[in-house]
Amino acid sequence: MPYLRLMADVFSPEAVKTIKYSGFHPSKVFKIIPSLIKETFKITSTKFFEDDIRWDKSSDPIEFFAQWRGKDEKDGRTSIWIKVKVIGKQNSKDKMGNVTIYIHPYLVTKLPYSNFLDKMLTKLYSYFFYRNQKRKYISEELLLLKRFEDELKAELGIK
């Protein structure tokens, strides 16, 4: 059965929120972020994904990159994905460096349909009736994202 897939950015009109940190041991975000995502959004390990983790020790400063995703299911149709990307550098001797953290939450709604008429009715249902529910999910998620950002800044020592 085909699905009508609707996506929306939670931080609309901007898709991504950026946090920059410069200071001692910026690679500590590798320990902080995964547990913070799981705790803040109450995501189990089966809905948490480490997409990519890279270290480049061939040069000094050491460059690193990581990306994590978490899926927060709201109901049978809608889930909110939280993607966090980290790009940074750290000196191998004195552990000083910088890191940029990108937070990109987005809402995905899958609505099944079976034929052309059903697809049109599904679009109408989504626009007129389900839109308010999606707005409610986004407002709830914005509160969780604010808490996530505040706790991350507190762990890094950013005011």
Side-chain angles (χ1 to χ4, degrees):
M1 179 177 278
Y3 286 94
L4 180 65
R5 187 170 184 210
L6 306 170
M7 296 182 69
D9 286 323
V10 174
F11 285 147
S12 183
E14 298 157 1
V16 179
K17 184 168 259 189
T18 305
I19 299 172
K20 295 186 180 199
Y21 169 73
S22 294
F24 181 72
H25 200 44
S27 64
K28 64 185 168 187
V29 296
F30 284 99
K31 291 181 181 178
I32 297 169
I33 290 177
S35 60
L36 195 56
I37 290 173
K38 290 177 190 174
E39 291 170 10
T40 305
F41 301 102
K42 295 178 180 47
I43 296 174
T44 61
S45 295
T46 59
K47 295 178 183 167
F48 179 77
F49 307 95
E50 287 184 357
D51 290 335
D52 198 2
I53 294 179
R54 297 182 199 172
W55 286 87
D56 182 13
K57 289 187 170 185
S58 64
S59 64
D60 198 19
I62 297 170
E63 296 179 3
F64 55 89
F65 171 85
Q67 181 172 310
W68 299 276
R69 282 181 303 140
K71 182 180 181 181
D72 185 9
E73 287 189 5
K74 296 299 184 182
D75 59 22
R77 301 174 190 135
T78 302
S79 57
I80 295 183
W81 287 86
I82 299 94
K83 185 182 348 179
V84 179
K85 188 186 298 185
V86 171
I87 301 172
K89 295 179 181 181
Q90 177 176 304
N91 191 312
S92 61
K93 295 177 181 81
D94 62 0
K95 304 292 186 208
M96 296 300 282
N98 57 28
V99 65
T100 305
I101 303 163
Y102 301 97
I103 304 168
H104 180 213
Y106 55 96
L107 181 128
V108 178
T109 302
K110 287 182 170 181
L111 299 168
Y113 66 91
S114 58
N115 57 35
F116 176 72
L117 182 60
D118 195 21
K119 184 177 181 179
M120 295 307 292
L121 291 173
T122 301
K123 284 183 179 181
L124 289 172
Y125 167 76
S126 170
Y127 184 77
F128 288 111
F129 301 107
Y130 198 64
R131 183 171 52 164
N132 291 333
Q133 185 65 39
K134 289 187 344 184
R135 284 184 185 164
K136 180 182 169 198
Y137 291 149
I138 288 173
S139 65
E140 290 171 359
E141 201 68 20
L142 284 171
L143 293 174
L144 292 174
L145 286 161
K146 179 66 176 149
R147 185 168 19 145
F148 173 78
E149 182 183 353
D150 291 344
E151 289 181 22
L152 181 60
K153 285 180 177 180
E155 288 283 336
L156 293 174
I158 301 173
K159 295 179 183 173

